[in-house]
């Protein structure tokens, strides 16, 4: 493929952040779920042993959440809602049924990705704040038992919401052919952009001026 027909979608720094988050999320989510339910305890082995998982989970979580927030800040400008997003949402049925010719054109991100982006912001902030409140033996002793109990509740709730959102995120990424290659190598073909995010071509033109 000619170089001129390729368009930059993800910069190197963002791609490194993204894949670093995937690795830390793997350890954080599996170890976190091992605490949630007795029959999930075996998942703690991902960090060596259940005891090590208890010690290391907050550290991998902090690494994940801070890198993740950095990525969210970097992608914020592409995730603002625009007028074409309402039309895209109204055609959700066509999106699910893969009626490509009926789906309204999307910009850099489609409305579904923008909704997930908001869920990512909410869960990353709540998981970080509640995680610090619960963190034994460093921070938890500074809070009342009631506050710690509420923090545990919201931490677990957000972890479940995040996991469901991630399942959708990975499903969308694998469903749209060429999307993962874009996150791996940074560039996508002009034909890919025209098919999945046609208004991105106008947006990048506007950015040049
Ligand atoms: C194996 C797991 C994952 C895969 C295969 C994957 C794949 C992708 C792909 C292909 C994109 C680019 C989408 C596009 O160009 O339209 C992307 C973007 C993104 N991913 Fe992931 N991802 C994974 C896990 C995660 C995790 C664990 C997080 C955070 C907790 C995350 C957060 C993001 C964010 C914030 C973006 C920026 C664009 C957006 O708002 O959609 N991803 N991912």
């Amino acid at each position: 493929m000619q170089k001129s027909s390729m368009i930059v979608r993800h910069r190197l720094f963002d791609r490194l952040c993204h894949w670093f988050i995937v690795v830390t999320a793997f350890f954080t989510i599996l170890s976190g779920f091992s605490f949630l339910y007795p029959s999930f305890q075996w998942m703690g082995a991902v960090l060596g042993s259940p005891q090590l998982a208890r010690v290391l989970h907050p550290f991998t979580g902090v690494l994940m959440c801070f890198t993740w927030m950095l990525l969210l800040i970097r992608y914020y400008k592409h995730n603002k809602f625009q007028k074409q997003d309402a039309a895209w949402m109204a055609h959700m049925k066509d999106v699910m049924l893969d009626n490509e010719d009926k789906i309204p054109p999307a910009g850099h991100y489609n409305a579904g990705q923008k909704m997930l982006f908001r869920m990512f912001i909410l869960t990353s902030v709540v998981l970080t704040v509640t995680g610090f409140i619960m963190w034994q033996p460093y921070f938890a002793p500074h809070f009342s038992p009631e506050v710690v109990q509420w923090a545990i509740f919201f931490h677990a709730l957000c972890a479940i919401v995040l996991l469901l959102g991630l399942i959708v995120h990975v499903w969308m990424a694998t469903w749209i052919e060429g999307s993962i290659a874009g996150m791996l190598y940074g560039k996508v073909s002009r034909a890919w952009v025209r098919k999945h995010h046609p208004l991105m071509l106008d947006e990048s033109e506007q950015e040049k001026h």
Side-chain angles (χ1 to χ4, degrees), residues 6-49:
M6 301 301 280
I7 292 175
V8 175
R9 186 156 170 86
H10 305 286
R11 303 206 170 273
L12 178 64
F13 179 78
D14 301 329
R15 285 181 277 139
L16 289 174
C17 282
H18 182 272
W19 295 115
F20 180 76
I21 297 166
V22 172
V23 174
T24 48
F26 175 78
F27 290 108
T28 309
I29 294 175
L30 281 182
S31 57
F33 275 86
S34 77
F35 313 141
L36 198 64
Y37 218 64
S39 49
F40 292 162
Q41 217 180 29
W42 58 273
M43 292 183 191
V46 72
L47 287 176
S49 66

mmCIF file of all heavy atoms in Angstrom, residues 6-49:
data_model
loop_
_atom_site.group_PDB
_atom_site.id
_atom_site.type_symbol
_atom_site.label_atom_id
_atom_site.label_comp_id
_atom_site.label_asym_id
_atom_site.label_seq_id
_atom_site.Cartn_x
_atom_site.Cartn_y
_atom_site.Cartn_z
ATOM 1 N N MET A 6 -1.974 6.142 3.640
ATOM 2 C CA MET A 6 -2.084 5.814 5.070
ATOM 3 C C MET A 6 -2.252 7.093 5.894
ATOM 4 O O MET A 6 -1.641 8.114 5.592
ATOM 5 C CB MET A 6 -0.836 5.061 5.547
ATOM 6 C CG MET A 6 -0.570 3.760 4.812
ATOM 7 S SD MET A 6 -1.928 2.581 4.945
ATOM 8 C CE MET A 6 -1.621 1.903 6.564
ATOM 9 N N ILE A 7 -3.088 6.992 6.942
ATOM 10 C CA ILE A 7 -3.375 8.162 7.782
ATOM 11 C C ILE A 7 -3.027 7.824 9.233
ATOM 12 O O ILE A 7 -3.331 6.714 9.702
ATOM 13 C CB ILE A 7 -4.872 8.531 7.663
ATOM 14 C CG1 ILE A 7 -5.148 9.057 6.258
ATOM 15 C CG2 ILE A 7 -5.317 9.524 8.719
ATOM 16 C CD1 ILE A 7 -6.598 9.340 5.970
ATOM 17 N N VAL A 8 -2.392 8.778 9.935
ATOM 18 C CA VAL A 8 -2.030 8.538 11.343
ATOM 19 C C VAL A 8 -3.307 8.604 12.184
ATOM 20 O O VAL A 8 -4.043 9.581 12.127
ATOM 21 C CB VAL A 8 -1.017 9.590 11.850
ATOM 22 C CG1 VAL A 8 -0.751 9.400 13.344
ATOM 23 C CG2 VAL A 8 0.274 9.507 11.065
ATOM 24 N N ARG A 9 -3.557 7.523 12.945
ATOM 25 C CA ARG A 9 -4.737 7.518 13.833
ATOM 26 C C ARG A 9 -4.319 7.551 15.306
ATOM 27 O O ARG A 9 -4.975 8.134 16.126
ATOM 28 C CB ARG A 9 -5.588 6.287 13.542
ATOM 29 C CG ARG A 9 -6.905 6.261 14.303
ATOM 30 C CD ARG A 9 -7.938 5.420 13.630
ATOM 31 N NE ARG A 9 -9.110 5.207 14.470
ATOM 32 C CZ ARG A 9 -10.132 6.047 14.534
ATOM 33 N NH1 ARG A 9 -10.153 7.139 13.812
ATOM 34 N NH2 ARG A 9 -11.155 5.773 15.322
ATOM 35 N N HIS A 10 -3.201 6.878 15.617
ATOM 36 C CA HIS A 10 -2.724 6.861 17.011
ATOM 37 C C HIS A 10 -1.227 7.121 17.030
ATOM 38 O O HIS A 10 -0.469 6.410 16.349
ATOM 39 C CB HIS A 10 -3.002 5.499 17.660
ATOM 40 C CG HIS A 10 -4.434 5.086 17.597
ATOM 41 N ND1 HIS A 10 -5.414 5.655 18.386
ATOM 42 C CD2 HIS A 10 -5.071 4.181 16.822
ATOM 43 C CE1 HIS A 10 -6.573 5.103 18.103
ATOM 44 N NE2 HIS A 10 -6.409 4.218 17.155
ATOM 45 N N ARG A 11 -0.786 8.112 17.832
ATOM 46 C CA ARG A 11 0.637 8.441 17.906
ATOM 47 C C ARG A 11 1.365 7.407 18.783
ATOM 48 O O ARG A 11 0.733 6.724 19.588
ATOM 49 C CB ARG A 11 0.829 9.858 18.463
ATOM 50 C CG ARG A 11 0.101 10.884 17.643
ATOM 51 C CD ARG A 11 0.684 12.263 17.717
ATOM 52 N NE ARG A 11 0.032 13.102 16.704
ATOM 53 C CZ ARG A 11 0.446 13.195 15.441
ATOM 54 N NH1 ARG A 11 1.523 12.564 15.048
ATOM 55 N NH2 ARG A 11 -0.210 13.945 14.577
ATOM 56 N N LEU A 12 2.708 7.335 18.602
ATOM 57 C CA LEU A 12 3.493 6.314 19.301
ATOM 58 C C LEU A 12 3.281 6.368 20.811
ATOM 59 O O LEU A 12 3.045 5.348 21.457
ATOM 60 C CB LEU A 12 4.980 6.479 18.955
ATOM 61 C CG LEU A 12 5.919 5.495 19.650
ATOM 62 C CD1 LEU A 12 5.636 4.056 19.209
ATOM 63 C CD2 LEU A 12 7.375 5.831 19.370
ATOM 64 N N PHE A 13 3.332 7.587 21.381
ATOM 65 C CA PHE A 13 3.187 7.734 22.835
ATOM 66 C C PHE A 13 1.836 7.148 23.295
ATOM 67 O O PHE A 13 1.761 6.424 24.286
ATOM 68 C CB PHE A 13 3.292 9.219 23.210
ATOM 69 C CG PHE A 13 3.127 9.462 24.682
ATOM 70 C CD1 PHE A 13 4.182 9.219 25.553
ATOM 71 C CD2 PHE A 13 1.920 9.925 25.210
ATOM 72 C CE1 PHE A 13 4.037 9.430 26.924
ATOM 73 C CE2 PHE A 13 1.765 10.142 26.571
ATOM 74 C CZ PHE A 13 2.830 9.891 27.422
ATOM 75 N N ASP A 14 0.763 7.437 22.526
ATOM 76 C CA ASP A 14 -0.579 6.959 22.897
ATOM 77 C C ASP A 14 -0.673 5.435 22.789
ATOM 78 O O ASP A 14 -1.294 4.781 23.622
ATOM 79 C CB ASP A 14 -1.641 7.612 21.997
ATOM 80 C CG ASP A 14 -1.603 9.123 22.114
ATOM 81 O OD1 ASP A 14 -1.261 9.606 23.211
ATOM 82 O OD2 ASP A 14 -1.879 9.814 21.124
ATOM 83 N N ARG A 15 0.006 4.897 21.752
ATOM 84 C CA ARG A 15 -0.022 3.440 21.582
ATOM 85 C C ARG A 15 0.739 2.760 22.718
ATOM 86 O O ARG A 15 0.288 1.751 23.258
ATOM 87 C CB ARG A 15 0.589 3.057 20.230
ATOM 88 C CG ARG A 15 -0.351 3.368 19.081
ATOM 89 C CD ARG A 15 0.250 2.961 17.775
ATOM 90 N NE ARG A 15 1.161 3.971 17.259
ATOM 91 C CZ ARG A 15 2.327 3.743 16.670
ATOM 92 N NH1 ARG A 15 2.755 2.510 16.532
ATOM 93 N NH2 ARG A 15 3.071 4.722 16.217
ATOM 94 N N LEU A 16 1.872 3.333 23.112
ATOM 95 C CA LEU A 16 2.637 2.737 24.222
ATOM 96 C C LEU A 16 1.805 2.781 25.502
ATOM 97 O O LEU A 16 1.747 1.806 26.247
ATOM 98 C CB LEU A 16 3.966 3.488 24.422
ATOM 99 C CG LEU A 16 5.014 3.265 23.320
ATOM 100 C CD1 LEU A 16 6.226 4.168 23.546
ATOM 101 C CD2 LEU A 16 5.446 1.806 23.273
ATOM 102 N N CYS A 17 1.128 3.934 25.729
ATOM 103 C CA CYS A 17 0.257 4.055 26.919
ATOM 104 C C CYS A 17 -0.830 2.990 26.855
ATOM 105 O O CYS A 17 -1.081 2.279 27.826
ATOM 106 C CB CYS A 17 -0.429 5.420 26.969
ATOM 107 S SG CYS A 17 0.613 6.733 27.547
ATOM 108 N N HIS A 18 -1.485 2.883 25.674
ATOM 109 C CA HIS A 18 -2.607 1.949 25.547
ATOM 110 C C HIS A 18 -2.196 0.524 25.885
ATOM 111 O O HIS A 18 -2.838 -0.159 26.676
ATOM 112 C CB HIS A 18 -3.210 2.016 24.137
ATOM 113 C CG HIS A 18 -4.395 1.109 23.974
ATOM 114 N ND1 HIS A 18 -4.268 -0.200 23.593
ATOM 115 C CD2 HIS A 18 -5.723 1.322 24.187
ATOM 116 C CE1 HIS A 18 -5.472 -0.756 23.560
ATOM 117 N NE2 HIS A 18 -6.376 0.144 23.912
ATOM 118 N N TRP A 19 -1.075 0.060 25.307
ATOM 119 C CA TRP A 19 -0.692 -1.343 25.525
ATOM 120 C C TRP A 19 -0.117 -1.559 26.926
ATOM 121 O O TRP A 19 -0.222 -2.665 27.473
ATOM 122 C CB TRP A 19 0.230 -1.835 24.400
ATOM 123 C CG TRP A 19 -0.523 -1.857 23.086
ATOM 124 C CD1 TRP A 19 -0.263 -1.093 21.988
ATOM 125 C CD2 TRP A 19 -1.706 -2.627 22.754
ATOM 126 N NE1 TRP A 19 -1.199 -1.347 20.998
ATOM 127 C CE2 TRP A 19 -2.092 -2.280 21.435
ATOM 128 C CE3 TRP A 19 -2.486 -3.564 23.433
ATOM 129 C CZ2 TRP A 19 -3.204 -2.850 20.785
ATOM 130 C CZ3 TRP A 19 -3.588 -4.124 22.786
ATOM 131 C CH2 TRP A 19 -3.935 -3.770 21.481
ATOM 132 N N PHE A 20 0.450 -0.490 27.509
ATOM 133 C CA PHE A 20 0.882 -0.588 28.918
ATOM 134 C C PHE A 20 -0.357 -0.759 29.817
ATOM 135 O O PHE A 20 -0.363 -1.556 30.750
ATOM 136 C CB PHE A 20 1.671 0.680 29.304
ATOM 137 C CG PHE A 20 2.146 0.676 30.726
ATOM 138 C CD1 PHE A 20 3.240 -0.094 31.102
ATOM 139 C CD2 PHE A 20 1.509 1.439 31.701
ATOM 140 C CE1 PHE A 20 3.679 -0.106 32.430
ATOM 141 C CE2 PHE A 20 1.943 1.433 33.022
ATOM 142 C CZ PHE A 20 3.032 0.659 33.382
ATOM 143 N N ILE A 21 -1.439 -0.017 29.472
ATOM 144 C CA ILE A 21 -2.692 -0.135 30.243
ATOM 145 C C ILE A 21 -3.261 -1.554 30.109
ATOM 146 O O ILE A 21 -3.723 -2.134 31.090
ATOM 147 C CB ILE A 21 -3.747 0.882 29.748
ATOM 148 C CG1 ILE A 21 -3.273 2.309 29.974
ATOM 149 C CG2 ILE A 21 -5.085 0.677 30.452
ATOM 150 C CD1 ILE A 21 -4.093 3.342 29.220
ATOM 151 N N VAL A 22 -3.187 -2.117 28.898
ATOM 152 C CA VAL A 22 -3.726 -3.474 28.702
ATOM 153 C C VAL A 22 -2.997 -4.468 29.616
ATOM 154 O O VAL A 22 -3.627 -5.295 30.280
ATOM 155 C CB VAL A 22 -3.625 -3.901 27.214
ATOM 156 C CG1 VAL A 22 -4.004 -5.365 27.038
ATOM 157 C CG2 VAL A 22 -4.528 -3.021 26.344
ATOM 158 N N VAL A 23 -1.650 -4.352 29.701
ATOM 159 C CA VAL A 23 -0.871 -5.285 30.532
ATOM 160 C C VAL A 23 -1.217 -5.082 32.014
ATOM 161 O O VAL A 23 -1.520 -6.039 32.737
ATOM 162 C CB VAL A 23 0.655 -5.099 30.289
ATOM 163 C CG1 VAL A 23 1.469 -5.952 31.251
ATOM 164 C CG2 VAL A 23 1.000 -5.443 28.848
ATOM 165 N N THR A 24 -1.215 -3.816 32.457
ATOM 166 C CA THR A 24 -1.499 -3.570 33.887
ATOM 167 C C THR A 24 -2.959 -3.926 34.207
ATOM 168 O O THR A 24 -3.248 -4.409 35.301
ATOM 169 C CB THR A 24 -1.201 -2.107 34.277
ATOM 170 O OG1 THR A 24 -1.794 -1.245 33.313
ATOM 171 C CG2 THR A 24 0.269 -1.822 34.374
ATOM 172 N N ALA A 25 -3.868 -3.704 33.237
ATOM 173 C CA ALA A 25 -5.282 -4.043 33.463
ATOM 174 C C ALA A 25 -5.443 -5.553 33.630
ATOM 175 O O ALA A 25 -6.240 -6.011 34.448
ATOM 176 C CB ALA A 25 -6.141 -3.552 32.297
ATOM 177 N N PHE A 26 -4.643 -6.312 32.869
ATOM 178 C CA PHE A 26 -4.717 -7.779 32.971
ATOM 179 C C PHE A 26 -4.433 -8.214 34.417
ATOM 180 O O PHE A 26 -5.208 -8.966 35.013
ATOM 181 C CB PHE A 26 -3.700 -8.395 31.987
ATOM 182 C CG PHE A 26 -3.596 -9.884 32.070
ATOM 183 C CD1 PHE A 26 -4.564 -10.692 31.491
ATOM 184 C CD2 PHE A 26 -2.534 -10.495 32.727
ATOM 185 C CE1 PHE A 26 -4.482 -12.074 31.565
ATOM 186 C CE2 PHE A 26 -2.440 -11.879 32.804
ATOM 187 C CZ PHE A 26 -3.407 -12.666 32.222
ATOM 188 N N PHE A 27 -3.350 -7.690 34.990
ATOM 189 C CA PHE A 27 -2.985 -8.071 36.362
ATOM 190 C C PHE A 27 -3.981 -7.487 37.382
ATOM 191 O O PHE A 27 -4.389 -8.154 38.327
ATOM 192 C CB PHE A 27 -1.562 -7.599 36.697
ATOM 193 C CG PHE A 27 -0.509 -8.363 35.934
ATOM 194 C CD1 PHE A 27 0.208 -7.770 34.903
ATOM 195 C CD2 PHE A 27 -0.256 -9.693 36.231
ATOM 196 C CE1 PHE A 27 1.158 -8.490 34.188
ATOM 197 C CE2 PHE A 27 0.694 -10.427 35.525
ATOM 198 C CZ PHE A 27 1.402 -9.818 34.498
ATOM 199 N N THR A 28 -4.369 -6.229 37.171
ATOM 200 C CA THR A 28 -5.231 -5.560 38.154
ATOM 201 C C THR A 28 -6.630 -6.180 38.173
ATOM 202 O O THR A 28 -7.181 -6.456 39.248
ATOM 203 C CB THR A 28 -5.341 -4.052 37.820
ATOM 204 O OG1 THR A 28 -4.036 -3.528 37.660
ATOM 205 C CG2 THR A 28 -6.064 -3.295 38.914
ATOM 206 N N ILE A 29 -7.194 -6.405 36.992
ATOM 207 C CA ILE A 29 -8.579 -6.904 36.947
ATOM 208 C C ILE A 29 -8.657 -8.348 37.470
ATOM 209 O O ILE A 29 -9.509 -8.660 38.295
ATOM 210 C CB ILE A 29 -9.159 -6.769 35.520
ATOM 211 C CG1 ILE A 29 -9.287 -5.273 35.175
ATOM 212 C CG2 ILE A 29 -10.510 -7.460 35.398
ATOM 213 C CD1 ILE A 29 -9.719 -4.978 33.762
ATOM 214 N N LEU A 30 -7.713 -9.201 37.020
ATOM 215 C CA LEU A 30 -7.772 -10.595 37.496
ATOM 216 C C LEU A 30 -7.561 -10.663 39.012
ATOM 217 O O LEU A 30 -8.310 -11.331 39.716
ATOM 218 C CB LEU A 30 -6.735 -11.459 36.776
ATOM 219 C CG LEU A 30 -7.120 -11.900 35.364
ATOM 220 C CD1 LEU A 30 -6.038 -12.787 34.775
ATOM 221 C CD2 LEU A 30 -8.439 -12.648 35.334
ATOM 222 N N SER A 31 -6.540 -9.929 39.519
ATOM 223 C CA SER A 31 -6.299 -9.995 40.971
ATOM 224 C C SER A 31 -7.473 -9.382 41.728
ATOM 225 O O SER A 31 -7.907 -9.901 42.754
ATOM 226 C CB SER A 31 -4.978 -9.334 41.352
ATOM 227 O OG SER A 31 -4.962 -7.986 40.915
ATOM 228 N N GLY A 32 -8.041 -8.293 41.178
ATOM 229 C CA GLY A 32 -9.186 -7.630 41.837
ATOM 230 C C GLY A 32 -10.382 -8.559 41.932
ATOM 231 O O GLY A 32 -11.010 -8.670 42.993
ATOM 232 N N PHE A 33 -10.677 -9.262 40.842
ATOM 233 C CA PHE A 33 -11.837 -10.166 40.874
ATOM 234 C C PHE A 33 -11.598 -11.372 41.781
ATOM 235 O O PHE A 33 -12.548 -11.979 42.263
ATOM 236 C CB PHE A 33 -12.261 -10.570 39.451
ATOM 237 C CG PHE A 33 -13.174 -9.536 38.837
ATOM 238 C CD1 PHE A 33 -12.659 -8.437 38.167
ATOM 239 C CD2 PHE A 33 -14.550 -9.623 38.992
ATOM 240 C CE1 PHE A 33 -13.488 -7.447 37.640
ATOM 241 C CE2 PHE A 33 -15.391 -8.647 38.472
ATOM 242 C CZ PHE A 33 -14.867 -7.552 37.792
ATOM 243 N N SER A 34 -10.315 -11.690 42.035
ATOM 244 C CA SER A 34 -10.040 -12.820 42.937
ATOM 245 C C SER A 34 -10.485 -12.506 44.368
ATOM 246 O O SER A 34 -10.722 -13.407 45.170
ATOM 247 C CB SER A 34 -8.556 -13.187 42.911
ATOM 248 O OG SER A 34 -7.802 -12.265 43.674
ATOM 249 N N PHE A 35 -10.593 -11.199 44.704
ATOM 250 C CA PHE A 35 -11.035 -10.825 46.066
ATOM 251 C C PHE A 35 -12.563 -10.794 46.169
ATOM 252 O O PHE A 35 -13.130 -10.778 47.253
ATOM 253 C CB PHE A 35 -10.555 -9.421 46.479
ATOM 254 C CG PHE A 35 -9.104 -9.129 46.212
ATOM 255 C CD1 PHE A 35 -8.710 -7.879 45.759
ATOM 256 C CD2 PHE A 35 -8.131 -10.098 46.422
ATOM 257 C CE1 PHE A 35 -7.383 -7.586 45.499
ATOM 258 C CE2 PHE A 35 -6.792 -9.820 46.163
ATOM 259 C CZ PHE A 35 -6.415 -8.565 45.706
ATOM 260 N N LEU A 36 -13.238 -10.711 45.002
ATOM 261 C CA LEU A 36 -14.668 -10.417 44.984
ATOM 262 C C LEU A 36 -15.517 -11.598 45.430
ATOM 263 O O LEU A 36 -16.526 -11.424 46.119
ATOM 264 C CB LEU A 36 -15.051 -9.992 43.555
ATOM 265 C CG LEU A 36 -16.350 -9.240 43.373
ATOM 266 C CD1 LEU A 36 -16.304 -7.893 44.074
ATOM 267 C CD2 LEU A 36 -16.622 -9.025 41.880
ATOM 268 N N TYR A 37 -15.097 -12.780 45.039
ATOM 269 C CA TYR A 37 -15.949 -13.949 45.235
ATOM 270 C C TYR A 37 -15.050 -15.142 45.544
ATOM 271 O O TYR A 37 -14.020 -15.315 44.868
ATOM 272 C CB TYR A 37 -16.703 -14.191 43.923
ATOM 273 C CG TYR A 37 -18.109 -14.648 44.094
ATOM 274 C CD1 TYR A 37 -19.065 -13.834 44.707
ATOM 275 C CD2 TYR A 37 -18.491 -15.922 43.649
ATOM 276 C CE1 TYR A 37 -20.347 -14.267 44.872
ATOM 277 C CE2 TYR A 37 -19.785 -16.357 43.807
ATOM 278 C CZ TYR A 37 -20.703 -15.527 44.420
ATOM 279 O OH TYR A 37 -21.982 -15.956 44.575
ATOM 280 N N PRO A 38 -15.380 -15.986 46.561
ATOM 281 C CA PRO A 38 -14.469 -17.091 46.918
ATOM 282 C C PRO A 38 -14.095 -17.978 45.728
ATOM 283 O O PRO A 38 -12.945 -18.386 45.582
ATOM 284 C CB PRO A 38 -15.260 -17.874 47.969
ATOM 285 C CG PRO A 38 -16.230 -16.893 48.520
ATOM 286 C CD PRO A 38 -16.554 -15.913 47.429
ATOM 287 N N SER A 39 -15.074 -18.227 44.828
ATOM 288 C CA SER A 39 -14.735 -19.138 43.716
ATOM 289 C C SER A 39 -13.846 -18.484 42.647
ATOM 290 O O SER A 39 -13.398 -19.152 41.722
ATOM 291 C CB SER A 39 -16.002 -19.716 43.083
ATOM 292 O OG SER A 39 -16.899 -18.693 42.818
ATOM 293 N N PHE A 40 -13.585 -17.157 42.773
ATOM 294 C CA PHE A 40 -12.660 -16.486 41.828
ATOM 295 C C PHE A 40 -11.234 -16.429 42.383
ATOM 296 O O PHE A 40 -10.352 -15.859 41.758
ATOM 297 C CB PHE A 40 -13.094 -15.032 41.566
ATOM 298 C CG PHE A 40 -14.392 -14.869 40.809
ATOM 299 C CD1 PHE A 40 -15.062 -13.652 40.833
ATOM 300 C CD2 PHE A 40 -14.928 -15.898 40.054
ATOM 301 C CE1 PHE A 40 -16.259 -13.469 40.142
ATOM 302 C CE2 PHE A 40 -16.119 -15.727 39.357
ATOM 303 C CZ PHE A 40 -16.790 -14.519 39.404
ATOM 304 N N GLN A 41 -11.047 -17.014 43.603
ATOM 305 C CA GLN A 41 -9.769 -16.817 44.307
ATOM 306 C C GLN A 41 -8.543 -17.248 43.485
ATOM 307 O O GLN A 41 -7.489 -16.623 43.565
ATOM 308 C CB GLN A 41 -9.793 -17.586 45.626
ATOM 309 C CG GLN A 41 -9.092 -16.853 46.733
ATOM 310 C CD GLN A 41 -9.135 -17.635 48.023
ATOM 311 O OE1 GLN A 41 -9.185 -18.869 48.026
ATOM 312 N NE2 GLN A 41 -9.097 -16.928 49.131
ATOM 313 N N TRP A 42 -8.722 -18.291 42.670
ATOM 314 C CA TRP A 42 -7.606 -18.816 41.855
ATOM 315 C C TRP A 42 -7.005 -17.744 40.939
ATOM 316 O O TRP A 42 -5.845 -17.809 40.571
ATOM 317 C CB TRP A 42 -8.082 -20.015 41.036
ATOM 318 C CG TRP A 42 -9.238 -19.696 40.116
ATOM 319 C CD1 TRP A 42 -10.559 -19.739 40.425
ATOM 320 C CD2 TRP A 42 -9.168 -19.253 38.758
ATOM 321 N NE1 TRP A 42 -11.328 -19.347 39.351
ATOM 322 C CE2 TRP A 42 -10.502 -19.055 38.302
ATOM 323 C CE3 TRP A 42 -8.129 -19.007 37.858
ATOM 324 C CZ2 TRP A 42 -10.807 -18.620 37.014
ATOM 325 C CZ3 TRP A 42 -8.431 -18.572 36.583
ATOM 326 C CH2 TRP A 42 -9.759 -18.386 36.164
ATOM 327 N N MET A 43 -7.806 -16.709 40.606
ATOM 328 C CA MET A 43 -7.309 -15.665 39.686
ATOM 329 C C MET A 43 -6.165 -14.859 40.309
ATOM 330 O O MET A 43 -5.370 -14.241 39.607
ATOM 331 C CB MET A 43 -8.433 -14.690 39.302
ATOM 332 C CG MET A 43 -9.506 -15.299 38.444
ATOM 333 S SD MET A 43 -10.686 -14.005 38.031
ATOM 334 C CE MET A 43 -11.992 -14.969 37.336
ATOM 335 N N GLY A 44 -6.091 -14.873 41.652
ATOM 336 C CA GLY A 44 -5.036 -14.142 42.364
ATOM 337 C C GLY A 44 -3.653 -14.672 41.994
ATOM 338 O O GLY A 44 -2.652 -13.971 42.150
ATOM 339 N N ALA A 45 -3.592 -15.925 41.476
ATOM 340 C CA ALA A 45 -2.309 -16.542 41.100
ATOM 341 C C ALA A 45 -1.598 -15.736 40.018
ATOM 342 O O ALA A 45 -0.390 -15.888 39.816
ATOM 343 C CB ALA A 45 -2.554 -17.970 40.626
ATOM 344 N N VAL A 46 -2.345 -14.855 39.332
ATOM 345 C CA VAL A 46 -1.742 -14.039 38.282
ATOM 346 C C VAL A 46 -0.608 -13.160 38.833
ATOM 347 O O VAL A 46 0.326 -12.805 38.118
ATOM 348 C CB VAL A 46 -2.840 -13.198 37.567
ATOM 349 C CG1 VAL A 46 -3.349 -12.065 38.440
ATOM 350 C CG2 VAL A 46 -2.357 -12.664 36.252
ATOM 351 N N LEU A 47 -0.685 -12.844 40.142
ATOM 352 C CA LEU A 47 0.382 -12.037 40.759
ATOM 353 C C LEU A 47 1.231 -12.895 41.714
ATOM 354 O O LEU A 47 1.853 -12.374 42.622
ATOM 355 C CB LEU A 47 -0.214 -10.823 41.481
ATOM 356 C CG LEU A 47 -0.733 -9.697 40.574
ATOM 357 C CD1 LEU A 47 -1.395 -8.584 41.384
ATOM 358 C CD2 LEU A 47 0.370 -9.099 39.716
ATOM 359 N N GLY A 48 1.231 -14.190 41.519
ATOM 360 C CA GLY A 48 2.086 -15.076 42.311
ATOM 361 C C GLY A 48 1.296 -15.925 43.280
ATOM 362 O O GLY A 48 1.250 -17.136 43.166
ATOM 363 N N SER A 49 0.633 -15.287 44.255
ATOM 364 C CA SER A 49 -0.156 -16.022 45.250
ATOM 365 C C SER A 49 -1.262 -15.070 45.727
ATOM 366 O O SER A 49 -1.163 -13.854 45.515
ATOM 367 C CB SER A 49 0.734 -16.404 46.442
ATOM 368 O OG SER A 49 1.141 -15.217 47.110
#
